[in-house]
Amino acid sequence: MTTPALPTPVVSLAYHSGFGHTAVLAEAVHAAAVEAGATVHLIKVDEITEAQWEQLDASDAIVFGSPTYMGTASGAFHTFAEASAKRWATRAWQDKLAAGFTNSASKSGDKLHTLQFFTVLAAQHGMSWVSLNLLPGWNSSTASENDLNRLGFFLGAAAQSPNDQGAEGVHKADIATAEHLGRRIAEQARIVVAGRAVLAA
């Protein structure tokens, strides 16, 4: 008896990057999700085409990414979110998986609000949110800033990058945390796709 081939989930990253820091995180999520066996599309929401909207519609999971500016996602991401109302009206993203990542210059920077904004956007579309599923790092005297999830977020991957440095200033631990998110969303999407295939058989 042959073992059926595992399905290949399709994951899309819909993100905006103002100064390159969030793009570094997007590339990390992308690389790890590909390594985990997913087909992954990188979509810059400030340059999105109709073909890329259709890629989002055909995806099993959508990962939202944006810098945190003034306590929320960037204006470019908000424009994308509002434009997604056409998909909301037709329930095009219903039952897809969703996840998110963000970056700011401050340790907190109110990044939690950006991640919460992503979860509400996902909920409005009827999507299922995938959390980071990492214990917090750097929260004891023996811990280190090089720990995974060094900033202690749970909803998604969060990074802190100095505002006087470019993309090279993104912390290695934050990149590794984004990679964890990429693997996790790919694995969870595979489970969902496989389950739907079984139910449809």
Side-chain angles (χ1 to χ4, degrees):
M1 180 178 178
T2 58
T3 303
L6 292 173
T8 300
V10 178
V11 177
S12 286
L13 276 60
Y15 77 98
H16 173 246
S17 184
F19 299 96
H21 307 95
T22 310
V24 171
L25 301 178
E27 291 288 353
V29 175
H30 172 268
V34 168
E35 185 180 351
T39 297
V40 186
H41 304 296
L42 273 173
I43 298 172
K44 297 179 180 180
V45 299
D46 53 333
E47 302 174 2
I48 192 167
T49 65
E50 187 55 40
Q52 289 174 322
W53 279 110
E54 292 172 2
Q55 284 181 331
L56 292 173
D57 297 344
S59 297
D60 301 301
I62 301 174
V63 184
F64 302 126
S66 170
T68 295
Y69 294 155
M70 301 305 293
T72 188
S74 66
F77 193 92
H78 275 271
T79 297
F80 160 78
E82 290 182 20
S84 75
K86 292 181 180 179
R87 269 64 192 174
W88 171 83
T90 62
R91 312 315 289 156
W93 296 354
Q94 179 175 292
D95 296 329
K96 295 183 187 300
L97 298 184
F101 59 93
T102 187
N103 175 86
S104 71
S106 299
K107 292 291 191 295
S108 170
D110 292 319
K111 286 187 279 282
L112 177 60
H113 185 259
T114 298
L115 294 173
Q116 289 172 329
F117 169 70
F118 292 158
T119 64
V120 173
L121 175 63
Q124 292 220 344
H125 281 284
M127 305 169 79
S128 297
W129 188 260
V130 176
S131 67
L132 185 60
N133 192 29
L134 274 178
L135 292 174
W138 203 18
N139 65 354
S140 73
S141 61
T142 58
S144 162
E145 68 171 304
N146 296 310
D147 293 342
L148 285 177
N149 195 20
R150 69 188 180 109
L151 300 179
F153 282 78
F154 293 89
L155 277 185
Q160 180 270 329
S161 306
N163 62 14
D164 58 351
Q165 291 184 326
E168 76 282 356
V170 181
H171 200 288
K172 290 182 179 179
D174 296 339
I175 294 172
T177 300
E179 290 171 343
H180 170 86
L181 180 66
R183 288 188 293 273
R184 176 159 166 77
I185 193 67
E187 291 162 359
Q188 293 302 304
R190 173 174 281 110
I191 291 169
V192 168
V193 172
R196 287 174 179 162
V198 169
L199 291 172

